[in-house]
Amino acid sequence: MSWYDHSGPEKDVFVSSRVRLARNLEDFPFEGKLSPEQAKEIIAAVRDAFPAGDAYKFIDMSKINDIEALSYYERHYISREFAVKKSPHALVLQDQTGLSLMICEEDHLRIQCLSGGLSLRECYKTVSETEAMLSRKLPFAFDEKWGYLTHCPTNLGTGMRVSVMMFLPAFTLLNRMEALSTQLQKVGLVIRGMGGEGSRASGSLYQISNQETMGITEDNTLRKVIDIVRQIAEQERKLRASFDKPMQIRLKDRAARAEGVLRHAEMVSSGECIPLYADLRLGLALGMSTDMDLVKLDKMIFEAMPATVSLQQSGRTDDKLPDEMQRDITRAQIIRKMITP
Amino acid sequence: MVCQHCQKNPASFFYEENINGAVKKYALCPACLKELQNSGEFQDAVSQWYQQSAFPFALTDEGIFTSLFANQPKMMPHEVRCDVCGMRFSDIAKAGRVGCPHCYEAFREELTPTVNAIHGGRTHVGKLPESASESKKAKQKLTQLRKELEEAIKEENYEKAAVLRDQIRTMESGGE
């Protein structure tokens, strides 16, 4: 079971939610000044701060290979920098809550929680409880004026970053993204396209997050972000409903074709995967008749990525085929299995 | 940063002096440095240029921290280092990041304009850590006790000093 196997509220517009807190231990230098021995000390201290037993899964990142590490990145558990990092670092996971804690990332601790749909409050509850449990055992670096002390001064204060991954095909098709981005900037939120430039390649997926971490409480940050992204979701739904009949037919046709390819193709490349996903997801939102559900479809954008596919491929490689071809075949098989009821 | 004398060559010499509270900063290219040293009018001349063009903190590229330090000196011979991690403020300016949590205390004054520029001059209103607030209280208490000890010694109140010394020792060794 992975975090994205669970559904969540308002899935039609929200793919996922994430909350993370940056924390550092008082008596250790930051990355760059941190020796491998000190990094190991931090890892051991954090590990000891967790209760014994198997409620949490500990992963020593230096003991797994690059492909496995990148797969964690593709499935949003860790950052890219963390996946390719060479000095000692470790990961703590708890699949039923979606907790994912990076030890010795840019900050000593990055406590985060991932969850499906719009579920920021649930995510915050998990990270906040985890943080409270750890803070009883670990002295976190803190300053009365500047709050939690972080490696990069942009995270000072609450050290909290709240973000949602939104599916905004109507905004994208109607060229409203730039205007939205400008509006968001004015209220202190940042929007980034996922998976590359251009409306088709990006899959109409966007990550929206808060920028302010100082002079605002955790609760008000949540309230503000939830309020704004809800408004965006309302607008997106209105725009989707405003498509005229010919447009609706064209979009549903595109979705049906995407479904055909994803269900029947012998090979699917990583490049075509996301646009097909977006076409199909919009079709579902427009009421296309199909037996597919959004959780299974969303799973595709996490598990059909290169490193994750490579992991599935190992052991059943046909030596006569070129690597890339074999990977596209495996990807097609994974997707077929995933989206066929 | 451009040399403050010729306004043409990049400055590679940075110097800051503090004489009875009068702070003077210099940023010069090697040629101008030599010229001014030879002319003997070093101090006055340079300090004058400095006042005309102070090192400005500018938020040119929103959210990009390193750009805030773009106009900062690259090297100051006399610079202090953070006593925990050894970073100098110029190292921090170059990296865009501090070396350890203690740097925020060690370079509070230098970092304040940058932190204010990023966070709009606001201060933390979010939650407080149990452990940090406790250790903070402990540190304050320790400072207070040391002060009292000093006074007790000054007053030649050795009985009181002995008690205070024991208290400090217990706290330092992690006990209550």
Side-chain angles (χ1 to χ4, degrees), chain A residues 26 28 30 33 106 128 131 135 138 140 142-143 145 147-148 150-151 153-154 157 212-218, chain B residues 65 85 87 96-101 104 108 112 115 119 122-132 135-136:
Chain A
E26 240 172 29
F28 289 90
F30 292 128
K33 287 272 168 189
E106 177 190 310
S128 165
E131 195 264 357
S135 81
L138 303 168
F140 290 143
F142 182 81
D143 179 84
K145 196 170 167 210
Y148 288 94
T150 52
H151 192 190
T154 52
E212 304 162 296
T213 51
M214 187 98 78
I216 183 165
T217 62
E218 289 82 358
Chain B
F65 178 65
C85 72
M87 286 275 269
R97 273 144 209 246
V98 299
C100 73
Y104 284 109
R108 184 176 288 276
T112 295
V115 174
H119 296 286
R122 288 171 297 180
T123 54
H124 182 61
V125 294
K127 69 180 201 178
L128 313 170
E130 286 169 43
S131 59
S135 82
K136 188 141 221 139

Side-chain angles (χ1 to χ4, degrees), chain A residues 187-202:
Chain A
V187 292
L189 299 196
V190 186
I191 184 163
R192 279 186 303 147
M194 309 280 292
E197 294 301 310
S199 59
R200 285 271 293 166
S202 75

Side-chain angles (χ1 to χ4, degrees), chain A residues 238-265:
Chain A
K238 273 189 196 146
L239 290 174
R240 287 180 191 176
S242 75
F243 288 141
D244 61 11
K245 191 96 194 192
M247 183 68 164
Q248 294 246 1
I249 295 172
R250 270 201 294 275
L251 292 172
K252 280 188 199 169
D253 176 63
R254 218 156 87 175
R257 284 162 189 273
E259 185 179 10
V261 172
L262 293 170
R263 274 198 174 157
H264 301 288

Side-chain angles (χ1 to χ4, degrees), chain A residues 83-250:
Chain A
V84 299
K85 191 173 173 155
K86 291 288 163 250
S87 53
H89 56 307
L91 177 66
V92 184
L93 296 179
Q94 190 183 41
D95 271 331
Q96 63 269 37
T97 55
L99 176 78
S100 147
L101 191 148
M102 290 181 269
I103 312 172
C104 294
E105 208 251 11
E106 177 190 310
D107 291 299
H108 298 150
L109 274 89
R110 285 275 171 108
I111 310 164
Q112 53 174 11
C113 180
L114 297 145
S115 178
L118 177 60
S119 46
L120 289 171
R121 288 203 183 277
E122 291 77 2
C123 288
Y124 180 67
K125 190 166 177 281
T126 301
V127 292
S128 165
E129 284 170 2
T130 309
E131 195 264 357
M133 175 183 84
L134 297 175
S135 81
R136 284 192 277 274
K137 308 226 172 125
L138 303 168
F140 290 143
F142 182 81
D143 179 84
E144 265 168 37
K145 196 170 167 210
W146 288 342
Y148 288 94
L149 300 176
T150 52
H151 192 190
C152 183
T154 52
N155 291 319
L156 289 170
T158 57
M160 178 159 94
R161 198 72 67 202
V162 167
S163 65
V164 286
M165 203 208 288
M166 294 186 87
F167 178 60
L168 302 174
F171 266 96
T172 310
L173 282 166
L174 297 168
N175 293 320
R176 304 248 177 134
M177 287 316 297
E178 229 177 276
L180 177 63
S181 170
T182 315
Q183 267 181 306
L184 286 177
Q185 217 166 13
K186 282 183 197 154
V187 292
L189 299 196
V190 186
I191 184 163
R192 279 186 303 147
M194 309 280 292
E197 294 301 310
S199 59
R200 285 271 293 166
S202 75
S204 303
L205 292 171
Y206 302 89
Q207 192 180 303
I208 296 177
S209 56
N210 67 307
Q211 208 168 17
E212 304 162 296
T213 51
M214 187 98 78
I216 183 165
T217 62
E218 289 82 358
D219 201 53
N220 281 338
T221 306
L222 281 170
R223 199 171 298 162
K224 179 176 170 179
V225 173
I226 293 170
D227 179 47
I228 292 167
V229 296
R230 276 233 167 93
Q231 288 177 38
I232 298 170
E234 261 332 293
Q235 265 180 290
E236 167 68 24
R237 289 185 190 112
K238 273 189 196 146
L239 290 174
R240 287 180 191 176
S242 75
F243 288 141
D244 61 11
K245 191 96 194 192
M247 183 68 164
Q248 294 246 1
I249 295 172
R250 270 201 294 275

Side-chain angles (χ1 to χ4, degrees), chain A residues 265-317:
Chain A
E266 201 61 41
M267 295 193 291
V268 177
S269 72
S270 62
E272 68 184 323
C273 175
I274 297 296
L276 289 171
Y277 154 86
D279 287 349
L280 182 49
R281 207 184 197 282
L282 178 56
L284 294 182
L286 296 175
M288 171 188 165
S289 67
T290 172
D291 45 16
M292 193 167 320
D293 87 58
L294 285 174
V295 175
K296 283 184 182 164
L297 188 58
D298 284 346
K299 192 171 171 149
M300 196 179 114
I301 57 169
F302 303 110
E303 295 203 344
M305 296 295 112
T308 311
V309 169
S310 293
L311 284 180
Q312 295 293 311
Q313 195 184 308
S314 58
R316 53 171 145 136
T317 316

